[in-house]
Amino acid sequence: MTKFELIERLAEMNPHLYQRDVERIVTAIFDEITSALARGDRVELRGFGAFSVKRRDARLGRNPRTGDSVRVDEKHIPFFKTGKQLRERLNTDG
Amino acid sequence: MTGQTVTRAQLSEAVYQEVGLSRNESAELVESVLNQIADALAQGEMVKISSFGSFSVRSKSKRIGRNPKTGTEVPINPRRVLVFRASHVLKDQINGSLAKPRSGRTGGA
């Protein structure tokens, strides 16, 4: 399912809304999660899962092709932990 | 880093601010979005949200685990796990994206 298909499904369920409004709603939700993570906040959606940001320290990596040492700066990576309810659902439904 | 936790309440508020719906309906829509994603994943479908990331379901086969405290062998049954891959757009947003060089060579600067 793509973002567009998600919007279509929601529009079908909400015939009183214009599809372009459903699109704005879906975008607003993911934008809100993105900006929370960009601030370093955690996003906790009980039953679904939690998004957080983890720090990766600077390290000395290697260019796998040439073997040269490459400095890799400290960076932050987004992380998702599946919620209990969803994890259980994945292992019960079809 | 502010270290706050954002929940459904803030997502509903963002929806409420974006379109002229009631707070109640905004909250219901947030719930519907999460449910649609969960339903698709439960059916083994991959979910791709452009410029955010993708969720996919991976099947793990049976393996022998160990209780780290006692050392006893415990069988771990085959199961399905959810994997989230963040898009570059999301990763760049988190890292400031301010034309920050991704890496530099040693001895360079």
Side-chain angles (χ1 to χ4, degrees), chain A residues 4-49:
Chain A
F4 181 69
E5 285 161 353
L6 170 63
I7 292 163
E8 278 184 325
R9 290 183 201 187
L10 291 159
E12 255 172 62
M13 292 165 60
N14 295 279
H16 61 295
L17 297 177
Y18 288 115
Q19 186 159 322
R20 61 160 190 272
D21 285 335
V22 177
E23 187 180 341
R24 288 169 64 197
I25 290 165
V26 172
T27 300
I29 293 171
F30 289 107
D31 282 355
E32 190 65 19
I33 298 174
T34 301
S35 41
L37 295 174
R39 290 194 300 267
D41 287 355
R42 191 182 142 77
V43 180
E44 197 175 299
L45 306 165
R46 283 288 161 90
F48 184 81

Side-chain angles (χ1 to χ4, degrees), chain B residues 1-42:
Chain B
M1 294 243 168
T2 50
Q4 312 261 45
T5 300
V6 166
T7 63
R8 280 175 172 78
Q10 285 90 332
L11 300 187
S12 304
E13 185 62 24
V15 170
Y16 174 76
Q17 300 286 344
E18 181 68 29
V19 249
L21 296 175
S22 70
R23 283 210 151 80
N24 240 331
E25 207 179 350
S26 302
E28 277 167 23
L29 273 152
V30 169
E31 214 49 56
S32 302
V33 167
L34 298 178
N35 284 338
Q36 287 300 310
I37 297 173
D39 287 354
L41 292 168

Side-chain angles (χ1 to χ4, degrees), chain B residues 23-89:
Chain B
R23 283 210 151 80
N24 240 331
E25 207 179 350
S26 302
E28 277 167 23
L29 273 152
V30 169
E31 214 49 56
S32 302
V33 167
L34 298 178
N35 284 338
Q36 287 300 310
I37 297 173
D39 287 354
L41 292 168
Q43 280 160 32
E45 212 185 315
M46 183 178 183
V47 178
K48 280 185 186 171
I49 307 295
S50 66
S51 76
F52 184 76
S54 62
F55 299 88
S56 55
V57 180
R58 194 177 291 171
S59 296
K60 298 268 191 178
S61 49
K62 184 188 163 141
R63 65 184 172 93
I64 303 295
R66 223 174 252 282
N67 178 329
K69 205 169 284 183
T70 62
T72 13
E73 288 189 347
V74 200
I76 297 174
N77 290 326
R79 68 211 151 93
R80 295 201 300 170
V81 294
L82 182 51
V83 185
F84 173 67
R85 271 204 70 199
S87 79
H88 272 287
V89 180

Side-chain angles (χ1 to χ4, degrees), chain A residues 30-70:
Chain A
F30 289 107
D31 282 355
E32 190 65 19
I33 298 174
T34 301
S35 41
L37 295 174
R39 290 194 300 267
D41 287 355
R42 191 182 142 77
V43 180
E44 197 175 299
L45 306 165
R46 283 288 161 90
F48 184 81
F51 296 92
S52 58
V53 176
K54 290 193 173 184
R55 201 187 81 198
R56 289 282 175 266
D57 286 332
R59 64 187 168 88
L60 218 53
R62 264 178 204 285
N63 179 329
R65 199 184 301 243
T66 62
D68 290 350
S69 278
V70 175

